[in-house]
Amino acid sequence: MAVTRRLLVGIVGLVSLLVYLMAAYVGYVLLLPVWNSRPSPLLAALVILGTAIVLGILNYWAATAQLKRSLDAVELSRTRAPELHRRLDGLVDQMDVDTPTLLLAELPVPNAFAIGGGAGAIVLDRRLFQLLSPAEFEALLGHELAHLETRDALVQTVAYSLVQMLVGLVGLVLFPIMALVGGVARSLALVRGDPSSWSRSWLGRTQRYSLQVVAGLGFAVTLLILSYSRRRELAADDRAVEVTGNPVGLARALVKIEQASKPDPGLLRQLYVHGEADSNLSRLLSTHPPMDERIQRLQERVQGNSMRARELSNDRR
């Protein structure tokens, strides 16, 4: 009985092996003309890059439009907030950005974020007007204008689009190969009469390690993009300090926002100036650096300015 069962398993394995080999041959015959007519590597790279950029821009426009509709925001006119618009105009004059539209919304937590490119818009939670002083509000506007100035959201969206396309292309190329390798490994294991041994064979290990490498590369590239996003947040802080000359105002604004932002902001977290990090992993996966780090950097700017002022004062004496 055992011999008969093993013989049947071996026959199934042999038939399965023949099927996989036949599938590999058919795939080779079908793909050979495609391979022979393949474009140059440079042209292929340009097509992939161009497609990723176009898809990223379209995705960004669609996501921005959907976000605006979901916010149910209203425009904050100059007549309603003349002082805020005056400060906004002063910042715009110092930066390479068009005057954005100011939108009022009811956000999950008191906060602000920039959307769109070019002129774009800055979404403000109504509670910020009770939380922040005019100088702190101006520093916060400078931070958001810095994002619009360098089109950070658009750049990151295009980068994500490129990563998704590359991972998809790699998966499209490797999936049939890995499926074939895994199928042959299982078939040979059946022929040997030990179905569970396929994962321990060199073919099974090759399939597993290849998939792990692809997944690891995709994760590593994602971490690089997130790291870039965190650097852009710090750069926006620096730019805001540069145009306002008020690191204290921005630091105080961030502290007040952090203290008032206890509830979970949900899906809008990545758009906010506020970003929490509860562990090393969450820090790596966050689009924003820890708030304590940002505040500390601003405090160091204040201390550095104070030291330079004292040095200048001593030199004059």
Side-chain angles (χ1 to χ4, degrees):
M1 185 69 177
V3 175
T4 302
R5 181 179 179 279
R6 181 162 183 170
L7 180 60
L8 290 174
V9 170
I11 293 173
V12 171
L14 184 59
V15 172
S16 176
L17 178 61
L18 292 175
V19 170
Y20 276 108
L21 293 177
M22 181 61 69
Y25 176 75
V26 172
Y28 169 78
V29 171
L30 294 176
L31 292 177
L32 185 59
V34 177
W35 175 258
N36 291 333
S37 60
R38 68 189 183 279
S40 66
L42 178 59
L43 179 59
L46 290 176
V47 170
I48 293 173
L49 181 61
T51 303
I53 291 175
V54 171
L55 292 178
I57 293 174
L58 293 177
N59 182 46
Y60 179 71
W61 284 346
T64 299
Q66 182 180 4
L67 179 61
K68 285 183 177 181
R69 290 193 298 268
S70 66
L71 288 174
D72 192 25
V74 296
E75 183 175 349
L76 181 62
S77 64
R78 290 183 177 271
T79 56
R80 291 183 59 187
E83 175 62 20
L84 185 62
H85 276 277
R86 185 188 66 79
R87 291 177 179 268
L88 178 65
D89 291 338
L91 294 173
V92 169
D93 289 340
Q94 302 178 64
M95 305 175 73
D96 184 20
V97 63
D98 297 328
T99 303
T101 303
L102 297 182
L103 300 176
L104 279 181
E106 296 287 347
L107 303 178
V109 295
N111 226 307
F113 58 83
I115 55 177
I122 297 178
V123 180
L124 306 169
D125 184 78
R126 298 176 185 274
R127 289 162 289 184
L128 290 176
F129 291 89
Q130 284 76 46
L131 282 176
L132 305 181
S133 68
E136 294 164 355
F137 220 132
E138 181 181 42
L140 186 63
L141 288 177
H143 175 95
E144 300 305 334
L145 285 172
H147 284 307
L148 292 176
E149 187 178 40
T150 52
R151 293 176 170 82
D152 288 335
L154 176 60
V155 171
Q156 292 171 34
T157 302
V158 171
Y160 275 118
S161 176
L162 180 59
V163 169
Q164 291 173 350
M165 176 168 289
L166 291 177
V167 172
L169 288 175
V170 172
L172 184 64
V173 172
L174 288 184
F175 178 77
I177 300 175
M178 291 301 100
L180 175 63
V181 170
V184 171
R186 289 181 173 87
S187 300
L188 292 176
L190 289 173
V191 172
R192 291 193 301 268
D194 186 7
S196 63
S197 66
W198 78 271
S199 61
R200 299 189 299 273
S201 66
W202 69 272
L203 286 174
R205 292 196 300 271
T206 299
Q207 182 196 49
R208 182 170 64 254
Y209 294 152
S210 298
L211 293 176
Q212 289 174 351
V213 168
V214 173
L217 288 175
F219 184 66
V221 175
T222 300
L223 289 182
L224 288 176
I225 295 176
L226 292 173
S227 176
Y228 171 80
S229 175
R230 293 191 294 271
R231 290 197 300 271
R232 293 311 308 161
E233 287 299 319
L234 298 178
D237 286 345
D238 293 339
R239 181 62 169 147
V241 171
E242 179 183 347
V243 296
T244 63
N246 187 12
V248 174
L250 182 57
R252 287 176 176 172
L254 296 179
V255 169
K256 290 180 178 180
I257 289 175
E258 182 184 37
Q259 292 174 347
S261 301
K262 298 303 181 182
D264 186 2
L267 297 177
L268 297 177
R269 180 187 299 274
Q270 63 177 353
L271 298 172
Y272 290 160
V273 296
H274 169 64
E276 296 183 5
D278 301 323
S279 66
N280 291 332
L281 180 60
S282 65
R283 287 172 184 261
L284 288 175
L285 298 179
S286 175
T287 58
H288 285 56
M291 187 67 79
D292 291 344
E293 177 184 343
R294 296 174 64 186
I295 295 173
Q296 182 179 356
R297 290 179 76 254
L298 293 169
Q299 291 173 340
E300 290 173 354
R301 292 282 296 267
V302 175
Q303 294 172 357
N305 292 341
S306 299
M307 292 180 60
R308 285 193 294 271
R310 287 196 295 269
E311 291 173 357
L312 289 174
S313 178
N314 293 333
D315 291 340
R316 290 171 181 172
R317 292 176 185 177

